[in-house]
Amino acid sequence: MKRFTTVLVSLAVLAVAGRALAEATMEEAAVAYRQGVYEVIGWNFGPLVGMVKQEIPFDTLVFQRNAKRMQAMVPMIEEGFIPNSVVGDSEAKPEIWDNWDDFKSKLQALQTEVDKLVAVSAGTDMQALGAQVGATGKACKACHDEYRKE
Ligand code: ASC
């Protein structure tokens, strides 16, 4: 009987542990999702910053490609901010949900700047490219300053 109880308890412990490992909550999945989206955006923006700072050679095709990738990624941000999804290593501030309209307007401002980035990337006017990379970085930062934990 003792042995039977031990087996039952062990099975119960395994079931709980297995479930915790296998199933991320929706909130955890949302954090991982938006971190992935931001990672892709940052990966693609980095070389554009490098090019306008003349730290890496200018390549118009890479510039256009990366700007278009950012344009495709930015609309994916919002859906990652499901309610109460500040869990794990999330750097999101809960204020996002208290100021949802402002948060959304900052996302919209970023979209506007990235759309302009794609437009100027058709040309090779380094001054225009530099200005628009700057404006895009500012739009990223506007949200980070207010809604991302340090
Ligand atoms: C980047 C990156 C950001 C923004 C931000 C702009 O390259 O990863 O989060 O630019 O630093 O201020």
Side-chain angles (χ1 to χ4, degrees):
M1 193 63 199
K2 184 148 180 271
R3 200 185 140 94
F4 181 66
T5 308
T6 307
V7 169
L8 270 189
V9 169
S10 303
L11 282 176
V13 167
L14 273 179
V16 170
R19 206 180 125 101
L21 279 176
E23 267 185 22
T25 63
M26 260 326 272
E27 290 76 17
E28 287 165 342
V31 171
Y33 165 76
R34 58 192 195 236
Q35 287 177 345
V37 172
Y38 287 131
E39 196 68 29
V40 173
I41 293 171
W43 175 268
N44 282 282
F45 191 46
L48 308 192
V49 174
M51 283 184 217
V52 301
K53 287 186 173 173
Q54 298 184 29
E55 290 168 355
I56 58 170
F58 179 66
D59 182 330
T60 186
L61 291 180
V62 171
F63 200 111
Q64 288 172 22
R65 181 196 68 184
N66 288 18
K68 282 181 187 153
R69 286 176 176 171
M70 292 171 70
Q71 188 180 40
M73 296 302 293
V74 170
M76 300 184 194
I77 296 171
E78 186 189 326
E79 72 198 70
F81 286 89
I82 65 169
N84 304 313
S85 55
V86 183
V87 292
D89 63 353
S90 173
E91 292 181 276
K93 287 187 183 171
E95 282 82 353
I96 289 167
W97 290 273
D98 301 331
N99 304 305
W100 186 251
D101 289 346
D102 180 59
F103 180 71
K104 271 188 72 160
S105 81
K106 286 181 164 62
L107 284 180
Q108 183 51 56
L110 175 61
Q111 187 73 55
T112 301
E113 297 306 339
V114 173
D115 289 347
K116 285 192 209 163
L117 188 66
V118 170
V120 295
S121 76
T124 56
D125 174 352
M126 288 311 288
Q127 207 128 58
L129 294 174
Q132 198 49 40
V133 165
T136 303
K138 248 178 107 170
C140 296
K141 192 172 182 300
C143 216
H144 295 166
D145 285 348
E146 214 155 320
Y147 296 117
R148 186 176 71 173
K149 294 171 193 161
E150 286 313 314

